Amino acid sequence: MQRYFLANHDFEDERVVIKGDDAHHIIRVMRMVAGDEVICCNEKDESALCTIEDVSSGDVVLNVTKWLDERKELPVSVTIANGLPKGDKLELIIQKGTELGAAKFIPFIAGRSIVKWDEKKGKKKLERWQKIAKEAAEQSHRTKCPVVTEPLTVQKLIEEAKNYDRIIVAYEEEAKAGESANLYKSLSSLTKGQSVLVVIGPEGGLTEKEVQLLKENGSVICGFGPRILRTETASMYVLAAVSYQTELME
Amino acid sequence: MQRYFLANHDFEDERVVIKGDDAHHIIRVMRMVAGDEVICCNEKDESALCTIEDVSSGDVVLNVTKWLDERKELPVSVTIANGLPKGDKLELIIQKGTELGAAKFIPFIAGRSIVKWDEKKGKKKLERWQKIAKEAAEQSHRTKCPVVTEPLTVQKLIEEAKNYDRIIVAYEEEAKAGESANLYKSLSSLTKGQSVLVVIGPEGGLTEKEVQLLKENGSVICGFGPRILRTETASMYVLAAVSYQTELME
């Protein structure tokens, strides 16, 4: 069933009003009419089965038929901070990461990021990333649409990291050196509701200096298995591991 | 360092001879000369640091400098059987699956596969898939290059499944129904050297009949977490889970 991510203020008790692009999508693209049903999600990870009451004004007015108990979100909130990669790789990272349950994506301008961030073109890119997250969240039946932020500098990322319960850094030199215990140690000690920031380098990886800086700020440096993963694969690995640990094992 | 996957018969004691495409790559593309080093892998998951002795004949003659103990392969052998998906999604499945440690890929013609398999064009496609596996295996520093087979019918896949210690079927209806224990139960009871076949439907999933048939042949039906994963994401999930379970937890 079609799913829409709405603002809290779109809900008023058991009544929902959808405006703008989503209203256009319901009326013009899906050609829905009064009596049809959709799922509406608010910003509190809650979702409701709603029945369309009226579309005549161009807005869509709905009534909540039933609040759902979907439990589609990871028990811990995982943010993927990925060094800005080449080409459209971040699109794949956002699409797959959303399916796999990420709460937020923070691209950052790493020392080895080859792409330059252009403020002007950047706005369009950011809109596109956010759209990919929204579509993937709908398709994977999530109740939360991940946020994609503007790329941060490393310094800003370190500042941001202070807001998290745990900082995990994927570092391929650790993987090469056979480090294999840190990720499990870190994930298995998480408790429900905690927040995790996962920092992943661009192609070429994080610089030693970046790793050092992250270490000094309380990060756990982890290998993600003995094979060398491309930058876009590392986030898939860690999100699947978080799901396996917190949703399937426990 | 550049890595080549060779046949066992390319090795003779401590001497290796590389011919054909790989020789061309070393001499013409990499422009290597006597004294340069590469890593050579045989078909027994063994790898050796080798020094080039001679390239003058068009073949590359090397001496083994040192046998390596890389341990890059998953402790269990995982084969991904994916229902033939649309477009070039199987390329992504093979590339990411190889990075994540898959031993073999078996595409199969599922009831809901929309793509028709064309024997004639198929040969080229298969070559392309094998090339993607080889490149990903090199890049991720594996010691084994996964095999990609021609697409099988469902009937042939069921026959093939009998050769495996464990058959895991990803079924989104189980995920929707909240099934969450089977994958962990199945993976945590694997022992080193066992073989696992993971069966994943195409877009639209497996049919009920296919699931029934797989069940009758000893499969474990599993949900891969509560979110609905696209066909190409399911293999990434399960391979990361196998790595986490068998390489990081144990």
Side-chain angles (χ1 to χ4, degrees), chain A residues 71-74 92 95-96 98-101 136 139-142 176 180-181 183-184 187-188 223 225-230 232-233 236-237 240-241 243-245 247-249, chain B residues 71-74 92 95-96 98-101 136 139-142 176 180-181 183-184 187-188 223 225-230 232-233 236-237 240-241 243-245 247-249:
Chain A
R71 298 174 197 247
K72 298 291 186 185
E73 297 301 320
L74 285 172
L92 184 69
Q95 187 193 65
K96 296 293 158 247
T98 300
E99 287 175 62
L100 293 163
Q139 187 159 5
S140 55
H141 295 197
R142 291 189 53 179
K176 281 187 198 159
S180 68
L183 187 65
Y184 172 60
L187 297 187
S188 59
R227 290 161 298 284
I228 305 303
L229 303 178
R230 289 180 205 223
E232 72 273 20
T233 317
M236 304 171 193
Y237 185 101
S243 164
Y244 185 73
Q245 174 74 46
E247 295 182 318
L248 303 196
M249 282 174 60
Chain B
R71 299 173 195 246
K72 298 291 188 186
E73 297 301 318
L74 284 172
L92 185 68
Q95 187 193 66
K96 295 292 158 247
T98 300
E99 286 174 63
L100 292 162
Q139 187 158 7
S140 54
H141 294 197
R142 290 188 55 179
K176 281 186 197 159
S180 67
L183 187 65
Y184 172 60
L187 297 188
S188 59
R227 290 160 298 283
I228 306 301
L229 302 177
R230 290 180 206 223
E232 73 273 20
T233 317
M236 303 173 193
Y237 186 101
S243 164
Y244 186 73
Q245 174 73 49
E247 295 182 317
L248 303 196
M249 281 172 61

Side-chain angles (χ1 to χ4, degrees), chain B residues 21-73:
Chain B
D21 284 354
D22 286 334
H24 179 266
H25 189 262
I26 289 171
I27 301 171
R28 300 286 163 215
V29 181
M30 301 300 289
R31 296 179 177 278
M32 287 187 178
V33 293
D36 286 340
E37 291 180 320
V38 301
I39 292 173
C40 296
C41 305
N42 64 19
E43 295 164 282
K44 296 177 282 184
D45 299 359
E46 293 165 341
S47 57
L49 181 68
C50 297
T51 306
I52 297 175
E53 193 190 277
D54 184 43
V55 297
S56 62
S57 68
D59 294 347
V60 181
V61 182
L62 309 96
N63 287 311
V64 172
T65 313
K66 191 170 88 176
W67 285 95
L68 303 171
D69 181 20
E70 297 196 290
R71 299 173 195 246
K72 298 291 188 186
E73 297 301 318

Side-chain angles (χ1 to χ4, degrees), chain B residues 46 54-55 66 69 83 89-90 98 102 120-121 123 128-129 138 146 149-150 157 170 173 176 189 191 207 228 235:
Chain B
E46 293 165 341
D54 184 43
V55 297
K66 191 170 88 176
D69 181 20
K89 275 188 191 166
L90 203 69
T98 300
K120 216 171 148 186
K121 284 188 204 157
K123 212 182 147 228
R128 182 164 163 73
W129 290 340
E138 286 168 5
T149 74
E150 272 203 353
L157 178 66
E173 295 306 321
K176 281 186 197 159
S189 63
T191 55
T207 65
I228 306 301
S235 50

Side-chain angles (χ1 to χ4, degrees), chain B residues 118-215:
Chain B
D118 177 331
E119 284 288 336
K120 216 171 148 186
K121 284 188 204 157
K123 212 182 147 228
K124 272 213 164 157
K125 224 171 203 177
L126 196 58
E127 274 170 21
R128 182 164 163 73
W129 290 340
Q130 193 60 62
K131 191 167 169 243
I132 288 168
K134 189 165 173 270
E135 286 172 357
E138 286 168 5
Q139 187 158 7
S140 54
H141 294 197
R142 290 188 55 179
T143 53
K144 185 188 173 79
C145 178
V147 174
V148 188
T149 74
E150 272 203 353
L152 301 185
T153 61
V154 173
Q155 204 46 55
K156 284 256 172 69
L157 178 66
I158 300 274
E159 280 301 310
E160 173 69 17
K162 290 172 184 156
N163 302 322
Y164 288 80
D165 295 313
R166 199 70 57 83
I167 312 165
I168 288 172
V169 175
Y171 191 41
E172 69 173 12
E173 295 306 321
E174 300 290 315
K176 281 186 197 159
E179 189 293 304
S180 67
N182 284 350
L183 187 65
Y184 172 60
K185 260 192 242 162
S186 193
L187 297 188
S188 59
S189 63
L190 285 169
T191 55
K192 199 173 181 251
Q194 284 195 307
S195 60
V196 185
L197 179 69
V198 182
V199 183
I200 296 164
E203 298 92 349
L206 296 166
T207 65
E208 268 183 57
K209 205 178 135 198
E210 286 164 346
V211 172
Q212 194 51 39
L213 204 59
L214 284 157
K215 254 187 197 167

Side-chain angles (χ1 to χ4, degrees), chain A residues 29-89:
Chain A
V29 182
M30 302 299 291
R31 296 179 177 279
M32 287 188 179
V33 293
D36 286 339
E37 292 180 321
V38 301
I39 292 174
C40 295
C41 304
N42 64 21
E43 294 163 282
K44 294 176 281 183
D45 299 359
E46 294 165 339
S47 58
L49 181 68
C50 297
T51 307
I52 297 175
E53 194 190 276
D54 184 43
V55 297
S56 61
S57 69
D59 294 347
V60 181
V61 181
L62 309 97
N63 286 311
V64 171
T65 312
K66 192 170 86 175
W67 285 96
L68 304 170
D69 181 19
E70 297 196 288
R71 298 174 197 247
K72 298 291 186 185
E73 297 301 320
L74 285 172
V76 293
S77 169
V78 182
T79 294
I80 300 294
N82 216 113
L84 213 54
K86 283 193 268 185
D88 51 11
K89 273 187 192 168

